[in-house]
């Protein structure tokens, strides 16, 4: 079930007051027997004063035929424009080991970060990390996580000289099955931390300390 609107970005000031930046982005709800996931804007990032949003609830497979999943630039008046079509990229560049029983053609993008003025986005359903050149919208794959680790549902993304990726794991999730993977700029991957549970957020501070949600 999809809609051209309902995907919202909010601004919250220092006093906790919320205002809407835009609610004119696509959104969808998975059609499952006991309520499916509600998806819209997965993540936001600033480059300078320009706001970018990562769409997870768009594309034909989410019931939004006219707008693909991708990265959009959000204007001060709440309007937006697509800079990178991630749905098209995933359909043209399949990963090595997609999960056939849980496959989403348009992806369900989750995390996005700014590294030196370009955007990096992480997708859990296919299992890949991509780079988007902000000025041109050109998309390249940094790493096919599925090729080495299979369908582990990568979610959280951070950068500290290398990329660090945390994963959820397919349901039902056994205790201690999630991990942090280090991905170097050339796309080589190795496990950095193991024994975690359902990683949803990841931050590395200026003193090299890693915090995992």
């Amino acid at each position: 079930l999809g809609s051209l609107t309902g995907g919202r970005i909010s601004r919250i000031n220092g006093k906790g007051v919320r205002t809407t930046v835009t609610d004119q982005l696509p959104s969808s709800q998975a059609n499952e027997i006991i309520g499916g996931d509600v998806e819209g804007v997965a993540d936001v990032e600033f480059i300078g004063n320009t706001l970018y949003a990562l769409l997870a609830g768009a594309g034909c497979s989410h019931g939004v035929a006219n707008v693909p999943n991708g990265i959009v630039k959000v204007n001060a008046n709440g309007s937006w424009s697509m800079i990178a079509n991630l749905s098209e990229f995933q359909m043209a560049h399949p990963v090595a080991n997609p999960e056939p029983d849980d496959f989403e053609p348009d992806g369900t993008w989750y995390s996005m970060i700014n590294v030196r003025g370009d955007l990096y986005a992480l997708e859990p359903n296919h299992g890949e990390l991509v780079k988007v050149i902000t000025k041109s919208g050109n998309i390249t794959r940094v790493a096919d996580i599925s090729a080495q680790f299979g369908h582990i549902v990568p979610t959280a993304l951070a950068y500290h000289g290398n990329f660090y990726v945390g994963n959820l794991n397919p349901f039902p999730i056994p205790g201690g099955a999630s991990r942090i993977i280090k991905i170097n700029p050339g796309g080589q991957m190795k496990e950095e931390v193991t024994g975690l549970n359902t990683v949803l957020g990841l931050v590395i501070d200026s003193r090299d300390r890693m915090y995992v949600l």
Side-chain angles (χ1 to χ4, degrees):
L1 301 173
S3 172
L4 288 170
T5 60
R8 175 184 293 146
I9 299 172
S10 294
R11 179 192 296 113
I12 302 173
N13 68 17
K15 296 181 179 180
V17 177
R18 188 201 69 82
T19 56
T20 297
V21 176
T22 182
D23 58 3
Q24 299 303 305
L25 291 163
S27 63
S28 62
Q29 181 171 6
N31 187 17
E32 298 174 2
I33 295 174
I34 308 178
D37 294 337
V38 177
E39 296 162 343
V41 180
D43 206 353
V44 295
E45 186 64 75
F46 279 93
I47 299 177
N49 292 322
T50 303
L51 174 63
Y52 295 88
L54 177 66
L55 302 184
C60 287
S61 62
H62 292 109
V64 186
N66 296 326
V67 181
N69 267 342
I71 295 175
V72 301
K73 181 173 74 172
V74 182
N75 302 313
N77 63 2
S79 64
W80 56 271
S81 57
M82 181 75 62
I83 69 159
N85 185 331
L86 294 173
S87 290
E88 182 179 73
F89 177 84
Q90 289 200 301
M91 292 176 196
H93 303 86
V95 296
N97 293 306
E99 172 53 56
D101 295 331
D102 183 30
F103 184 69
E104 187 62 68
D106 289 282
T108 53
W109 296 85
Y110 193 93
S111 295
M112 178 173 67
I113 58 174
N114 165 19
V115 179
R116 293 187 288 273
D118 291 318
L119 295 167
Y120 292 79
L122 184 66
E123 201 283 321
N125 184 265
H126 297 227
E128 65 179 320
L129 173 64
V130 302
K131 176 182 180 179
V132 174
I133 303 296
T134 309
K135 291 182 178 180
S136 66
N138 183 59
I139 307 167
T140 56
R141 178 178 288 146
V142 177
D144 178 353
I145 297 166
S146 82
Q148 184 168 334
F149 296 99
H151 184 55
I152 62 168
V153 194
T155 49
L157 176 63
Y159 179 80
H160 194 71
N162 296 283
F163 296 97
Y164 294 85
V165 169
N167 76 300
L168 186 70
N169 251 53
F171 293 101
I173 302 171
S178 301
R179 68 198 89 174
I180 305 296
I181 299 166
K182 181 168 76 172
I183 305 175
N184 72 16
Q188 294 178 312
M189 297 175 278
K190 72 171 187 176
E191 286 187 339
E192 188 79 357
V193 181
T194 59
L196 301 173
N197 293 331
T198 59
V199 177
L200 297 177
L202 178 62
V203 172
I204 302 171
D205 71 11
S206 60
R207 294 172 60 186
D208 300 331
R209 295 175 297 189
M210 180 182 291
Y211 298 88
V212 180
L213 174 65

